[in-house]
Each structure stands twice: as C-alpha cells, then as structure tokens.
Amino acid sequence: MRDTAAAEQIALQQLCRRWQQLHDELDADGVSMLAISKYAPDSAVQALIDQGQRCFGESRPQALRDRALRWPDCQWHMIGPLQKNKAKYVARHAAMWHSCEDIDTAAAVARHLDGRMLPVLIQVNIAANPAQHGVNPAALQTFAAELNAIDGLELRGLMAMAPLDGDVGEAFTAMRDLRDELFGGSVGLLSMGMSHDYRAAVAAGANMVRLGSTLFGDLDIRNNRDD
C-alpha cells in the first residue's frame, strides 16, 4: 500500500515536470495546450490544476459533466464524437465543442444552451477518409454557413486529427489553408496535433494542441497496460 502511494507520488511529480516543459515549449510558439484528461485519474487532473493548467479535454459527455461540476473554475472541452441524446451535457457544461461534424447534432446542442453562447470548432476530415470523423473539406463552406445560422453556437475555428495515411505535415498545412480561407486570415482557432505529431502541427500553424499520453505518462491508463 505504501509502495503504491509512493509510486503515484513520483508519477505525479514527473507529470508536473513534463507539464512545465511542454507549457514552456508551446508558450514560446504562442500555442495553447489542451490537456486530454479522459484517460487520467482525478489525482493527475488536480496536480495539473495546482500547476496552473486550466483547459482540459474530455471525449465522454457524462465525464465532462462530472469533472466540470467538480472543477468549475476550469474549462472543459468536448473533443469526441457526440450523439444527439447526449447533447445536453455539452450544452450545459462544455467551454468549447471541438468535434462538431453534424448539423442536426449541433441544433440539438443549441436547444439546451438556455441562453448562453457555446464556442464551436468544426472537425474536418482532412483526408476525406470514411474511416475518420469530420466534415469533408469540399463541404466545409456550406457546413459553416449552416452552423452560423444556429443561434447560440459561435463558430471559432477548425479541428482535425492527422490522417491515417499520407504526409502529416501536408495535411496540417492544408488545414491551415482551410482555416485561413474560411475566416479570411489566421484569426480562427486551429486545434490540431496530438502527442505523436504536435510538433508537426505547430510548425504548420496550429494554435492549440491536444496532449494526452505524452503529458500524463504512466498516469494515462493507455501507457500502463499489460496487454
């Protein structure tokens, strides 16, 4: 029992050191870090809050709700696919919705906003790969116009995941160009880049990256499995 507690304390200390290194690296480039906490325990979240991290990403609507209620002074971003029957959790508790890809779901979210504005990013399927989520780049302008017509949702930028195949750098550069075209310049948010490719995303113009496993280390359950 004592050994387990000591190991967790060491892991939390290592987490804080990694956070500081990543924060300093990204801050030098003017890039914000979204800590993807969906696979991390509450103790790790609290450690990062104590360090100064305030923006976290969750992919499960109920988990986002629970953590938003526990830590109301932080911003909880919805990053995963959303079903219409879970729209109320995002509407009531999310600080930003990164994964908007369906107009009917967007309308469902808006119906639960109760007068508040929710910043939204459109998830783009940059490779137009049917195995990945997101709006086809060719349909982006039309989708954005439809989204802008929904009261309560504020289009703030674009989000993407790297393609499963192909050149990641080229894909991220294409995303930057889509953002610039849609917003008439670089004013829109560009959320792209994860633990394995965030440096390529920053080089291509991302101003927000989503870091999970490379930040949380052994405290991320994906890094601590026997299988």
Side-chain angles (χ1 to χ4, degrees):
M1 191 77 169
R2 191 172 299 171
D3 289 345
T4 301
E8 182 183 27
Q9 191 60 38
I10 291 171
L12 290 172
Q13 292 170 353
Q14 292 171 339
L15 166 64
C16 292
R17 286 196 292 269
R18 281 193 303 274
W19 178 86
Q20 191 65 61
Q21 291 167 354
L22 289 163
H23 175 271
D24 291 348
E25 174 188 345
L26 294 168
D27 189 59
D29 289 318
V31 177
S32 61
M33 173 171 48
L34 188 66
I36 305 304
S37 51
K38 62 181 181 176
Y39 295 112
D42 286 351
S43 59
V45 172
Q46 185 62 60
L48 289 189
I49 292 172
D50 292 343
Q51 289 296 111
Q53 179 70 25
R54 289 295 180 269
C55 296
F56 294 86
E58 293 285 336
S59 63
R60 296 179 290 273
Q62 290 99 321
L64 183 147
R65 172 202 61 193
D66 294 345
R67 285 183 158 174
L69 291 172
R70 178 167 179 173
W71 290 290
D73 292 335
C74 294
Q75 295 184 6
W76 296 91
H77 294 222
M78 179 62 187
I79 62 168
L82 181 64
Q83 298 175 335
K84 283 186 284 187
N85 64 341
K86 305 291 177 62
K88 62 184 178 182
Y89 301 117
V90 171
R92 294 169 183 168
H93 302 287
M96 182 176 288
W97 177 21
H98 285 233
S99 50
C100 181
E101 60 174 338
D102 177 79
I103 288 297
D104 290 341
T105 304
V109 169
R111 286 194 289 271
H112 293 281
L113 285 171
D114 295 330
R116 82 177 184 109
M117 292 292 294
L118 177 64
V120 174
L121 305 182
I122 297 173
Q123 182 169 354
V124 178
N125 186 341
I126 189 59
N129 185 336
Q132 292 185 276
H133 284 278
V135 176
N136 189 301
L140 179 59
Q141 292 281 352
T142 299
F143 187 92
E146 293 176 350
L147 184 64
N148 279 325
I150 299 176
D151 290 338
L153 300 181
E154 179 187 5
L155 177 56
R156 294 281 297 277
L158 304 179
M159 183 272 262
M161 298 178 68
L164 298 175
D165 299 303
D167 187 295
V168 170
E170 287 184 5
F172 286 154
T173 299
M175 275 299 303
R176 181 198 63 206
D177 293 344
L178 283 174
R179 188 274 313 271
D180 291 353
E181 181 181 355
L182 185 63
F183 287 87
S186 60
V187 294
L189 282 174
L190 189 53
S191 170
M192 62 185 189
M194 299 166 66
S195 290
H196 60 288
D197 56 21
Y198 76 91
R199 288 190 175 94
V202 171
N207 47 28
M208 178 181 287
V209 296
R210 308 182 302 275
L211 301 184
S213 60
T214 199
L215 171 62
F216 287 98
D218 288 342
L219 292 164
D220 185 310
I221 61 172
R222 294 170 298 176
N223 294 339
N224 203 20
R225 290 172 172 162
D226 294 329
D227 54 16

